[in-house]
Amino acid sequence: MKVATFNVNSLRKRLPIVLQWLERHQPDVLCLQETKVQDSEFPLTALATSGYEITFRGMKAYNGVAILSRTKPEAISYGFDDGGETEDARLLRVVIQGIPIINTYVPQGFEIDSPKYQYKLGWYDRLRKHFETHLSPKEPAIWCGDMNVAPRPIDVHSPEKHLKHVCYHEDARNAYGKTVAWGFEDVFCRLYPDRQQFTFFDYRAPSALAANKGWRIDHILATPPLAQRCQLVDVDLEPRRATDPSDHTVLWAEFST
């Protein structure tokens, strides 16, 4: 099973990039984040030409998640079910070939002293409880998406300059780490613990990609029974080099099944 994740930063703008990547790489599952389109305007017809099953939930101008899969999901659920804000445009869970796949677009947090940052930390706590309710670390499961956290110094350029950034601040890394510790393994780190590869290159720094000044904030994780079957993981920079690209690029992993 080949699983990929891509924050498209507006699906309608990146549609040619997505369709080209699907045709070229033929993943079994592609998880998209930040689609930025309400359901009534989702480009379903254009994407249907790819032959993939399409599951999505979005809103106007912000957030939005989608999963494209070769086979029809056996189950689908949107958002949290803990009585709080549902966040169904940030959290999508499907079951493909018996494997739960959770696609998340975690809040960025804005600024350290902002209520949005505290909301981000709480979001991770809710997500851990969501895993406790719906999954088992002893059974195969995949969690992927834009986590808005670079967990290690190697995962961000010039880490000493970003200690107060909402995607590298100690509290954000701890919140993410606690959620991972529920029972997931980062398959990129498992296979390549010393490799530096970034998935995000800021638009505000036009030379960021050429200078390799980026962040690894998009992740694919799996529970131990599946993580040990991960054979390949890679970051594909071609979508970031494309015309009118997203500021993120595609991360993919391949599992033996």
Side-chain angles (χ1 to χ4, degrees):
M1 177 182 283
K2 185 175 183 178
V3 177
T5 182
F6 183 24
N7 178 321
V8 291
N9 193 5
S10 179
L11 177 57
R12 287 178 291 182
K13 287 184 179 179
R14 318 302 170 207
L15 196 56
I17 295 174
V18 171
L19 289 171
Q20 183 180 54
W21 202 88
L22 286 171
E23 183 177 2
R24 182 176 298 172
H25 295 275
Q26 299 288 306
D28 295 287
V29 179
L30 173 60
C31 295
L32 303 177
Q33 304 87 40
E34 209 171 357
T35 56
K36 292 184 176 179
V37 57
Q38 57 192 334
D39 290 353
S40 62
E41 298 180 4
F42 190 91
L44 189 58
T45 302
L47 280 173
T49 63
S50 68
Y52 281 79
E53 299 285 339
I54 304 162
T55 309
F56 60 93
R57 182 62 58 86
M59 58 191 294
K60 187 176 181 179
Y62 299 97
N63 305 333
V65 284
I67 295 179
L68 282 63
S69 56
R70 283 184 170 279
T71 58
K72 187 175 182 179
E74 295 135 42
I76 301 170
S77 64
Y78 305 92
F80 292 111
D81 53 3
D82 57 5
E85 189 172 348
T86 60
E87 289 284 51
D88 56 349
R90 287 187 178 272
L91 173 61
L92 172 58
R93 178 164 54 94
V94 301
V95 177
I96 303 290
Q97 297 178 34
I99 299 174
I101 298 175
I102 301 90
N103 178 17
T104 56
Y105 174 45
V106 178
Q108 194 258 1
F110 187 54
E111 298 287 351
I112 293 298
D113 58 356
S114 165
K116 292 182 179 180
Y117 183 60
Q118 294 305 314
Y119 186 77
K120 174 181 183 173
L121 301 181
W123 209 94
Y124 269 118
D125 186 55
R126 294 178 70 193
L127 186 59
R128 179 187 171 97
K129 292 174 181 175
H130 186 80
F131 292 156
E132 290 173 351
T133 301
H134 296 285
L135 305 175
S136 168
K138 297 180 181 179
E139 299 293 332
I142 294 171
W143 167 32
C144 65
D146 178 357
M147 312 303 185
N148 268 314
V149 171
R152 308 169 302 164
I154 196 175
D155 296 324
V156 57
H157 74 94
S158 308
E160 69 283 353
K161 296 180 180 179
H162 296 102
L163 295 175
K164 294 186 178 181
H165 193 288
V166 290
C167 294
Y168 187 65
H169 187 267
E170 181 180 10
D171 292 342
R173 287 185 285 142
N174 286 342
Y176 171 73
K178 183 179 178 182
T179 304
V180 172
W182 167 84
F184 279 104
E185 294 184 41
D186 183 327
V187 295
F188 179 87
C189 294
R190 180 184 174 89
L191 265 62
Y192 314 115
D194 301 317
R195 179 184 295 181
Q196 184 179 64
Q197 280 189 294
F198 302 133
T199 62
F200 168 85
F201 300 88
D202 200 330
Y203 286 140
R204 294 170 295 181
S207 63
L209 182 59
N212 197 36
K213 291 184 176 180
W215 296 68
R216 191 178 74 92
I217 56 176
D218 304 270
H219 307 297
I220 297 175
L221 305 99
T223 51
L226 196 55
Q228 65 187 4
R229 305 207 308 258
C230 185
Q231 300 173 313
L232 294 169
V233 186
D234 204 2
V235 177
D236 185 356
L237 291 178
E238 290 309 307
R240 186 63 178 84
R241 296 186 179 116
T243 302
D244 194 19
S246 169
D247 43 3
H248 294 251
T249 197
V250 178
L251 170 71
W252 61 270
E254 199 166 283
F255 300 86
S256 62
T257 56

